[in-house]
Amino acid sequence: MTGASKPMGPIPPGFAAIDGELAIGGVRARDWVARAGGAPLFVYDAALIAARIAAWRAAMPQALALHYAVKANPFAPLLAFMAHDVDGFDVASGGELAAVQAAGVAGGRIGFAGPGKRDADLAAAICAGVTLNLESAHEADRALAAGDRLGIAPRLAIRINPDFELAGAGMRMGGGARPFGVDAELVPALARRLVASGAQWCGFHVYAGSQSLDGEAIVASQAATLALVVQLAETAGVTVPACNLGGGFGIPYFHGQRALDLAQVGDRLGDLLDRRAPALAQTRFVLELGRWLVGEAGVYLAEVIERKQSRGQTFLVVDGGLHHQLAASGNFGAVIRRNYPCAIATRFDAPADDVAHVVGCLCTPLDRLGDALALPHAQPGDLVALFCAGAYGASASPAAFLGHGPAREMLVSSGSAIVA
Ligand SMILES: *Cc1c(COP(=O)(O)O)cnc(C)c1O
């Protein structure tokens, strides 16, 4: 098929061709698939993640701690790898807590936010010395009761639902009425109560939104967070041992999007922390990032099963689909469907002389991974690569839907797979 193609997002840096094929971590995509035992396969390049962390530390103020938000990708070898490179982990369920503990991370390095924590989750966190970011006064009561039952003073912080949101964020999680966090106006009374209860008072957590590429907006939200935390601490008359400033750093998925200016955010946040109010002089500051750390390091590889023509259009039907990579199909929180970056991995540097739809093997029209993409002419047996697959891929997709089964996953470094 020829005809008009639709744009796709930019292929992230760090991927080269070897003998004309896409290489990930210095090894050809086809070789990774062979080593894994077949496609579909997620490959995560540990070197790219390590480079991200190093760039973050170089750009950000020294005193700032980096937490990994496990929700983005809980693959066990990746958690074990991250355990050496980040300062802490943020989990959002009892299952994520168990996964991080299994990676050998001590509870003192873990924060637990998220609505609807069950009593068993609270107890597991308290036993492990995890900091609970409380989402409501009722959750606070249940955490204190669990601490009493266990004879352990729980480590408690309050997640604040601020009266602002992260402008331009792909997903807003603060401001207005939310299931997340305690409304700011209710925070001082709760903070006083927690301090008086004899719990280990840990401070505040604010998470205003996700997937922002706008450094100015991120810094504005951090500035508003600092001001709010100072005001609430002074009103309550409590100290602020720690303050989790959230994250929200995004990555470019779509045509026309540009990478976040890390140096800009680092410089401006450094200024903000240098000029912070005396109430925050002793506070330990944390940022929690998921997709920015791991999203661009992952590639989803699926094999072309069919090259099908229908009424003048070409469909490349692959052996994967939205059951592994829901976000690329546009069905994970997107308002309009746009094309993720995509390539024919086995013809990576061939000219894009074809226009094709890349569709998955699910029997639903939702299963479209690429819409009218300009690609090299692909045949059955070729591998399609979808980029930006390191975050919200395998664990954020309905793997049981239609019974094809899960994708394989691999963390790779220096030419070999890292096994859990
Ligand atoms: C989802 C979430 C994150 C991670 O968001 P990313 O966009 O992956 O960086 C961090 N903290 C909280 C509280 C979250 O809900």
Side-chain angles (χ1 to χ4, degrees):
M1 156 184 153
T2 49
S5 66
K6 294 184 183 165
M8 66 169 85
I11 292 179
F15 298 100
I18 295 180
D19 300 335
E21 282 197 33
L22 169 67
I24 305 163
V27 172
R28 286 179 302 185
R30 205 192 284 281
D31 294 337
W32 286 131
V33 168
R35 287 194 215 178
L41 171 67
F42 285 91
V43 184
Y44 313 118
D45 184 347
L48 294 179
I49 298 170
R52 273 297 166 106
I53 295 170
W56 188 92
R57 292 206 189 278
M60 290 294 140
Q62 276 262 301
L64 195 62
L66 175 62
H67 282 196
Y68 174 54
V70 172
K71 184 178 69 178
N73 189 333
F75 185 49
L78 190 137
L79 296 181
F81 170 78
M82 296 295 253
H84 298 284
D85 282 28
V86 298
D87 304 306
F89 287 80
D90 283 304
V91 300
S93 72
E96 286 189 354
L97 173 57
V100 171
Q101 289 182 292
V105 177
R109 292 172 66 200
I110 305 173
F112 186 172
K117 299 181 194 75
R118 293 166 299 180
D119 287 344
D121 302 328
L122 296 171
I126 291 168
C127 286
V130 167
T131 299
L132 288 166
N133 294 306
L134 299 169
E135 308 270 350
S136 73
H138 181 239
E139 190 175 275
D141 291 336
R142 292 190 296 118
L144 290 170
D148 280 347
R149 274 198 305 277
L150 294 162
I152 302 171
R155 297 170 56 84
L156 302 180
I158 299 174
R159 178 173 180 180
I160 305 167
N161 175 24
D163 43 10
F164 57 84
E165 55 190 31
L166 174 52
M171 248 180 233
R172 295 181 184 172
M173 296 179 67
R178 299 280 165 184
F180 314 112
V182 177
D183 292 346
E185 54 278 21
L186 303 177
V187 165
L190 180 60
R192 271 195 296 269
R193 191 149 75 77
L194 295 179
V195 170
S197 74
Q200 299 184 59
W201 168 240
C202 295
F204 297 108
H205 175 216
V206 178
Y207 194 78
S210 252
Q211 179 52 21
S212 173
L213 295 169
D214 181 346
E216 288 291 340
I218 288 174
V219 172
S221 142
Q222 291 167 340
T225 297
L226 289 173
L228 177 63
V229 165
V230 169
Q231 181 219 316
L232 295 176
E234 285 176 349
T235 306
V238 300
T239 60
V240 186
C243 177
N244 184 329
L245 293 168
F249 293 20
I251 60 173
Y253 288 100
F254 305 120
H255 177 71
Q257 292 186 328
R258 294 190 33 204
L260 178 67
D261 184 343
L262 191 65
Q264 176 195 35
V265 177
D267 288 351
R268 301 281 303 282
L269 180 55
D271 289 345
L272 282 174
L273 292 183
D274 287 346
R275 291 188 280 106
R276 68 187 183 271
L280 301 181
Q282 304 300 320
T283 303
R284 203 175 66 87
F285 290 94
V286 179
L287 281 192
E288 53 178 345
L289 301 179
R291 93 178 69 226
W292 188 87
L293 292 175
V294 297
E296 293 188 336
V299 183
Y300 175 64
L301 299 168
E303 187 174 320
V304 178
I305 302 293
E306 289 270 348
R307 178 186 172 88
K308 179 177 175 180
Q309 308 290 336
S310 172
R311 301 203 167 119
Q313 301 193 21
T314 301
F315 293 82
L316 300 174
V317 186
V318 300
D319 62 357
L322 70 72
H323 54 309
H324 302 151
Q325 186 44 338
L326 182 67
S329 75
N331 294 294
F332 188 60
V335 179
I336 45 165
R337 193 201 170 284
R338 289 176 288 179
N339 287 321
Y340 270 42
C342 179
I344 305 301
T346 35
R347 303 172 195 266
F348 193 52
D349 59 6
D353 54 6
D354 194 18
V355 175
H357 308 299
V358 175
V359 299
C361 54
L362 302 191
C363 199
T364 160
L366 299 178
D367 197 6
R368 183 164 295 209
L369 302 175
D371 189 32
L373 300 177
L375 293 170
H377 190 99
Q379 295 291 347
D382 273 314
L383 289 172
V384 168
L386 276 167
F387 295 90
C388 298
Y392 306 105
S395 71
S397 302
F401 188 35
L402 270 147
H404 288 281
R408 294 177 164 90
E409 294 180 270
M410 248 183 165
L411 179 70
V412 306
S413 179
S414 312
S416 34
I418 303 173
V419 182

